[in-house]
Amino acid sequence: MKCIMWDIQLNSIADSKLKELFPVVPVIYIKAITQDKQDLRNMYDCPVYKTRMRGPTFVWTFNLKTKEIALKWVLAGVAILLQI
C-alpha cells in the first residue's frame, strides 16, 4: 500500500514525502449532492477501511481529486484508513 498526502496548493492527492509513512489527510467536509450534479473528472475512487486489514473492514469509496490519472493510485493500492 502506497502512502499519499493531501497537497493543499493543488487541492488534490499527491505522492507522499520521503520517509513519511503515515501522512495525515486533513478533516474533510462531506456534503451530499445528487448524481446529476456530481463531477467525476480527475477523481480517484479511494476505498476507505476501518483498519489496515482489507476486505471485511471496507466502509465505502471516497472520491478524491487528483492531478494524475486514477490508474496510478489504483496500481499503488492507495486507501484511506479511518481513525476510530
Side-chain angles (χ1 to χ4, degrees), residues 4-55:
I4 62 168
M5 63 178 259
W6 187 259
D7 190 334
I8 296 172
Q9 286 79 25
L10 297 175
N11 196 27
S12 67
I13 59 173
D15 288 316
S16 63
K17 297 176 184 172
L18 292 175
K19 297 184 180 180
E20 188 175 3
L21 297 178
F22 298 102
V24 177
V25 176
V27 174
I28 301 171
Y29 175 71
I30 300 174
K31 181 174 98 174
I33 59 171
T34 58
Q35 283 187 332
D36 59 330
K37 294 182 182 179
Q38 190 174 15
D39 183 15
L40 296 176
R41 290 176 295 166
N42 300 324
M43 292 285 186
Y44 165 57
D45 290 333
C46 186
V48 178
Y49 296 95
K50 291 180 187 177
T51 66
R52 289 187 191 175
M53 187 178 84
R54 296 184 182 225

Side-chain angles (χ1 to χ4, degrees), residues 66-84:
T66 179
K67 300 294 181 187
E68 308 282 340
I69 60 171
L71 184 60
K72 173 183 179 176
W73 307 116
V74 172
L75 293 175
V78 173
I80 294 177
L81 302 176
L82 295 177
Q83 183 178 0
I84 299 177

